Amino acid sequence: MPVRNVPPFRADHVGSFLRPVYLLEARDRHARGEIDAAALRAVEDRAIAEIVRFQEDIGLKSVTDGEFRRTYFHLDFLRQLDGVSTDDPKVVTGPDGKEHLAPPSIRVTGKVRHARDIQRADFEYLASQVSAGHTPKVTIPSPTMLHFRGGRAGIDAVAYPELDPDFYEDVAEAYGQELRSLHDAGCRYVQMDDTNLAYLCDGRMREAARARGDDPNELPHRYARFINRVVARKPEGMVLAMHLCRGNFKSTYAAEGNYEPVAEALLSEMHLDAYFMEYDDDRSGDFRPLRFLPRGKIVVLGLVTTKFGALESKDDLKRRIDEAAKYAPLEQLALSPQCGFSSTVHGNNVAVEDQRAKLRLVVETAREVWSDA
């Protein structure tokens, strides 16, 4: 069988990597005003060039910049849209004694517009570092981030007296313009990171949505229509994927629950090309929701945890892939770590050598399971 040359690849990954200490130090110095933005970007460039080589040397075909230029996976992007206002997340100590990230406030304060290219310059630098035969990937937050946390109350009623269609259309057009900008720069692989659909699998989160005035049974279907407005604006030849995440701050998580409450809307109703789905432990449930996957789409199974350094057994990974293949054809499956690797070395349970070993395990397992890997 010919080697699969289109993303997602049989061995893929979510995108973020552990940041080298010298980059963390440069970011701290920039925050204190000791170096300017140009000096910080030069350090980021060095770190990105190194992480590109790391990915290629491991055998990965999709390559990201490690998300090394970001402070948060979502806020850095959303803040650059006109009409969006956010504050920063806060670190709080939970009842379990562990530190957790309290979510930020994300508010729509006016008409949402794409006023400037957001990821293009970062992509162009990434692409300049990637070798032939590899595909640079850009990750951006899902548009559902602008609705889920605040609901109707988080969206200005003067700008949007009714959400449907104006709010959803404006956000979709802003995202469409960003996708077209990236496509014009040569990008062909984009992943949208979405915590909200995974949160709608969790009983506590479902009740919180209900308290905001949303029906948690209806919301996944509304979000499917929302995402499809973005997909309709996707340039031809671009692969658009979604990563579902339950949180990964300092190896913790924010939600749990089987995918069943959102599976049909997610897999059958959304017109996306691929899905990165967390399946690294029992909190994700079983593989039966994959029965909703139609032909022509790929699910990348996040079987390798990024929360802890202990290495999974290759035989266990193969067994779990076989279990998933009872509900979706093997040729529509792929393998990856469950989430990105934490953006900070400090306070995390995964070391740089663990990151390398886990990614190598993903590549080796994929080559043994799929003949086109």
Side-chain angles (χ1 to χ4, degrees):
M1 182 182 295
V3 173
R4 180 177 174 84
N5 289 319
V6 295
F9 301 99
R10 297 301 184 192
D12 216 308
H13 63 107
V14 169
S16 71
F17 290 100
L18 294 170
R19 293 177 179 177
V21 172
Y22 72 81
L23 176 57
L24 293 172
E25 291 173 346
R27 293 181 69 85
D28 287 345
R29 291 184 64 201
H30 179 259
R32 294 193 299 266
E34 296 174 7
I35 61 173
D36 63 15
L40 174 60
R41 192 167 184 89
V43 177
E44 292 170 345
D45 286 351
R46 171 191 163 193
I48 289 167
E50 291 174 358
I51 203 66
V52 166
R53 298 287 86 76
F54 168 83
Q55 293 168 79
E56 294 183 353
D57 290 347
I58 287 288
L60 294 166
K61 295 177 183 174
S62 66
V63 178
T64 72
D65 63 5
E67 300 185 7
F68 283 173
R69 302 196 196 275
R70 295 186 187 172
T71 304
Y72 303 105
F73 84 93
H74 50 348
L75 301 184
D76 296 53
F77 181 96
L78 296 175
R79 285 169 173 162
Q80 295 192 62
L81 295 172
D82 279 4
V84 176
S85 174
T86 77
D87 57 18
D88 287 339
K90 296 178 176 60
V91 178
V92 298
T93 301
D96 56 4
K98 295 181 180 179
E99 288 186 335
H100 298 267
L101 205 62
S105 170
I106 302 174
R107 299 172 300 280
V108 174
T109 57
K111 291 289 190 180
V112 177
R113 297 287 186 265
H114 182 268
R116 64 195 64 83
D117 294 335
I118 300 174
Q119 293 290 142
R120 181 166 179 157
D122 294 348
F123 170 78
E124 289 173 338
Y125 179 76
L126 170 64
S128 76
Q129 300 300 306
V130 173
S131 302
H134 298 81
T135 300
K137 177 170 79 169
V138 171
T139 62
I140 62 176
S142 168
T144 66
M145 306 298 295
L146 292 177
H147 175 270
F148 181 74
R149 284 291 179 183
R152 166 71 268 193
I155 300 170
D156 183 76
V158 175
Y160 296 107
E162 302 292 336
L163 299 188
D164 198 356
D166 290 351
F167 167 72
Y168 297 117
E169 278 291 304
D170 281 356
V171 175
E173 179 56 27
Y175 268 72
Q177 289 180 34
E178 179 66 12
L179 294 179
R180 290 192 290 274
S181 165
L182 287 167
H183 185 270
D184 289 346
C187 179
R188 297 296 181 268
Y189 190 14
V190 175
Q191 170 189 300
M192 297 190 296
D193 293 320
D194 191 300
T195 58
N196 305 318
L197 284 151
Y199 284 3
L200 284 169
C201 301
D202 184 290
R204 294 175 299 108
M205 298 288 190
R206 291 172 63 83
E207 287 308 309
R210 200 185 305 276
R212 291 191 295 270
D214 289 310
D215 178 352
N217 295 315
E218 180 272 338
L219 204 51
H221 303 282
R222 194 194 323 167
Y223 283 168
R225 296 190 296 273
F226 189 10
I227 293 295
N228 287 344
R229 293 176 191 263
V230 176
V231 176
R233 292 164 164 84
K234 179 190 73 168
E236 185 175 353
M238 175 179 280
V239 170
L240 189 59
M242 175 178 285
H243 168 234
L244 286 91
C245 177
R246 293 173 172 85
N248 205 43
F249 176 70
K250 291 190 176 180
S251 301
T252 63
Y253 62 88
E256 58 188 346
N258 192 292
Y259 287 108
E260 197 67 32
V262 303
E264 186 171 12
L266 175 72
L267 300 175
S268 292
E269 295 176 18
M270 290 187 187
H271 301 155
L272 293 163
D273 300 301
Y275 308 87
F276 286 73
M277 299 177 69
E278 293 187 338
Y279 268 115
D280 61 321
D281 60 21
D282 292 342
R283 68 194 170 90
S284 302
D286 58 34
F287 294 113
R288 281 180 290 180
L290 299 183
R291 71 189 184 277
F292 289 107
L293 185 70
R295 302 292 298 182
K297 296 184 177 184
I298 299 286
V299 164
V300 186
L301 300 169
L303 302 180
V304 175
T305 191
T306 63
K307 297 185 180 301
F308 305 102
L311 196 62
E312 290 81 354
S313 156
K314 190 182 291 185
D315 287 341
D316 284 347
L317 293 181
K318 291 179 180 180
R319 176 183 54 79
R320 297 201 68 204
I321 293 169
D322 287 342
E323 290 175 5
K326 295 175 182 177
Y327 302 98
L330 184 63
E331 64 267 22
Q332 289 181 251
L333 300 175
L335 179 63
S336 80
Q338 136 268 343
C339 194
F341 290 87
S342 177
S343 0
T344 174
V345 174
H346 309 297
N348 190 48
N349 294 323
V350 179
V352 173
E353 56 268 25
D354 300 325
Q355 177 178 260
R356 178 182 295 275
K358 285 176 176 285
L359 289 165
R360 183 176 289 116
L361 175 64
V362 166
V363 171
E364 291 175 354
T365 304
R367 286 173 177 169
E368 294 178 17
V369 171
W370 291 278
S371 59
D372 61 348

